């Protein structure tokens, strides 16, 4: 944790707490951002709908971000409590990333997760920013429902109940269709961006990680840790760019730091298919 100075200005970080769980993809999106921005925070590990989460989010969903800007001197002054990852994302971009940059004292800042608006290239830079929002929203509202509850969670529940592989495969047929459609859309975004980049590792927008990658990765990392993922993310299959992107992203520091306790980690520990 950071050690704020008692004579601090508003630039001090104070204390940031993240309520959530490593198995939660939405929590992992925010943790990835914290690591990317090099922001120290306290991980408060709580599952959805627990009293600790409900105290801050009436819906009981995770993640929840709490920022105590005047901590440790005054824990309760101007406390910011945010649930809904899109709101947390805005706050990280607008407040915490800036404070983190101010604390770096000259060392290079990580690239922003939302690319800046460039008044000299208003249309192009607005389009880039909108594409980051578009993919982030798509991940949260279409890719997540297609892959997590309809495929990954079904497999895990059936495995837990001792179902045989044959029955699991039959039960997942419909989910596989939805997953293929979701991956097809993501493949299209990666193809579009690849056309604009001359070289370098592939990201969803531009040539550095953005919120788009941070929203998609936790879901696809879970998928990659299942037998279905091995088929759908085959490098010679129908979504080769997505397959390569997952492999590349898994090697980034922020992905490694948020791996412990994630679904891929737990599956690996249980000896089930998993490599992300
Ligand atoms: N729209 C919310 C979704 C958060 C969400 O669904 N989180 C999951 C964990 S990954 C959860 O709390 N699920 C419990 C439930 O759906 O009852 C956000 O963006 O933060």
């Amino acid at each position: 944790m950071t050690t704020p100075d008692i004579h601090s200005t508003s630039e001090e970080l104070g204390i940031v707490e993240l309520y959530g769980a490593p198995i939660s993809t939405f929590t992992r999106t925010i943790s990835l951002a914290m690591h990317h921005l090099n922001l120290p925070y306290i991980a408060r590990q709580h599952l959805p709908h627990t009293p600790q989460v409900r105290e801050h989010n009436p819906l009981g969903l995770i993640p929840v971000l709490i920022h105590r800007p005047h901590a440790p001197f005054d824990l309760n002054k101007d406390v910011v409590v945010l649930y809904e990852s899109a709101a947390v994302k805005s706050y990280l971009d607008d407040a915490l990333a800036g404070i983190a940059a101010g604390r770096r004292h000259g060392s290079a800042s990580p690239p922003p997760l939302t690319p800046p608006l460039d008044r000299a290239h208003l249309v192009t830079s607005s389009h880039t920013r909108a594409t980051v929002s578009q993919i982030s929203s798509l991940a949260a509202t279409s890719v997540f429902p297609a892959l997590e509850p309809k495929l990954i969670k079904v497999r895990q529940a059936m495995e837990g109940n001792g179902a045989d592989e044959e029955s699991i495969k039959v039960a997942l047929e419909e989910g596989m269709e939805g997953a293929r459609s979701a991956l097809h859309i993501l493949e299209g975004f990666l193809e579009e961006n690849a056309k604009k980049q001359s070289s370098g590792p592939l990201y969803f927008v531009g040539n550095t990680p953005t919120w788009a990658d941070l929203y998609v990765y936790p879901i696809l990392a879970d998928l990659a840790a299942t037998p279905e993922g091995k088929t759908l993310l085959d490098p010679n299959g129908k979504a080769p760019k997505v397959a390569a992107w997952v492999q590349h992203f898994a090697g980034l520091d922020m992905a490694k730091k948020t791996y412990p306790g994630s679904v891929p980690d737990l599956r690996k520990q249980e000896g089930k298919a998993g490599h992300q």
Side-chain angles (χ1 to χ4, degrees):
M1 270 300 303
T2 178
T3 314
D5 171 4
I6 194 158
H7 305 296
S8 68
T9 63
S10 59
E11 312 258 292
E12 268 303 340
L13 181 61
I15 290 179
V16 179
E17 296 161 79
L18 181 64
Y19 281 64
I23 55 163
S24 147
T25 60
F26 284 96
T27 303
R28 196 172 181 194
T29 294
I30 302 302
S31 324
L32 284 166
M34 300 291 217
H35 287 286
H36 173 78
L37 297 169
N38 211 2
L39 269 166
Y41 70 100
I42 301 172
R44 302 263 184 229
Q45 296 210 6
H46 297 290
L47 289 170
H49 309 295
T50 50
Q52 293 87 346
V53 172
R54 281 203 175 276
E55 189 185 338
H56 303 296
N57 179 355
L59 300 172
L61 303 181
I62 53 176
V64 177
L65 182 99
I66 302 187
H67 180 209
R68 301 179 192 280
H70 302 285
F73 314 111
D74 190 340
L75 284 177
N76 299 315
K77 191 177 163 201
D78 302 331
V79 180
V80 176
V81 179
L82 288 169
Y83 57 87
E84 282 301 313
S85 58
V88 176
K89 161 179 170 285
S90 297
Y91 191 71
L92 279 172
D93 280 346
D94 298 342
L96 300 186
I99 296 174
R103 295 168 72 242
R104 255 177 224 110
H105 308 299
S107 59
S109 290
L113 291 169
T114 298
L117 196 61
D118 177 355
R119 304 251 164 228
H121 302 96
L122 199 56
V123 170
T124 322
S125 64
S126 302
H127 186 197
T128 303
R129 287 159 63 87
T131 307
V132 171
S133 291
Q134 183 184 28
I135 299 170
S136 306
S137 169
L138 190 79
T141 61
S142 299
V143 180
F144 178 88
L147 293 182
E148 291 285 349
K150 295 211 179 123
L151 203 72
I152 299 158
K153 296 289 183 293
V154 178
R155 158 162 286 282
Q156 290 200 285
M158 290 186 77
E159 283 175 352
N161 292 335
D164 57 81
E165 268 305 310
E166 201 51 42
S167 319
I168 298 178
K169 290 250 168 321
V170 172
L172 292 182
E173 268 167 23
E174 209 183 305
M176 287 293 274
E177 268 319 294
R180 278 195 193 92
S181 309
L183 294 183
H184 178 70
I185 295 170
L186 294 176
E187 185 76 8
F189 278 106
L190 286 173
E191 271 169 11
E192 273 310 301
N193 192 35
K195 282 184 209 154
K196 296 180 198 158
Q197 311 302 324
S198 49
S199 63
L202 193 52
Y203 293 100
F204 273 98
V205 179
N207 54 13
T208 55
T210 67
W211 283 107
D213 304 279
L214 272 53
Y215 264 91
V216 176
Y217 178 70
I219 309 167
L220 293 199
D222 287 4
L223 176 68
T226 64
E228 290 65 44
K230 295 219 180 299
T231 310
L232 294 165
L233 297 171
D234 180 339
N236 301 312
K238 293 204 165 142
K241 287 207 159 34
V242 177
W245 171 87
V246 179
Q247 281 295 337
H248 162 70
F249 203 92
L252 299 185
D253 225 41
M254 63 177 134
K256 290 183 186 158
K257 285 189 173 141
T258 56
Y259 176 80
S262 63
V263 166
D265 182 27
L266 299 183
R267 288 187 64 80
K268 193 168 188 184
Q269 286 180 34
E270 289 164 11
K272 294 175 182 152
H275 57 86
Q276 296 302 320

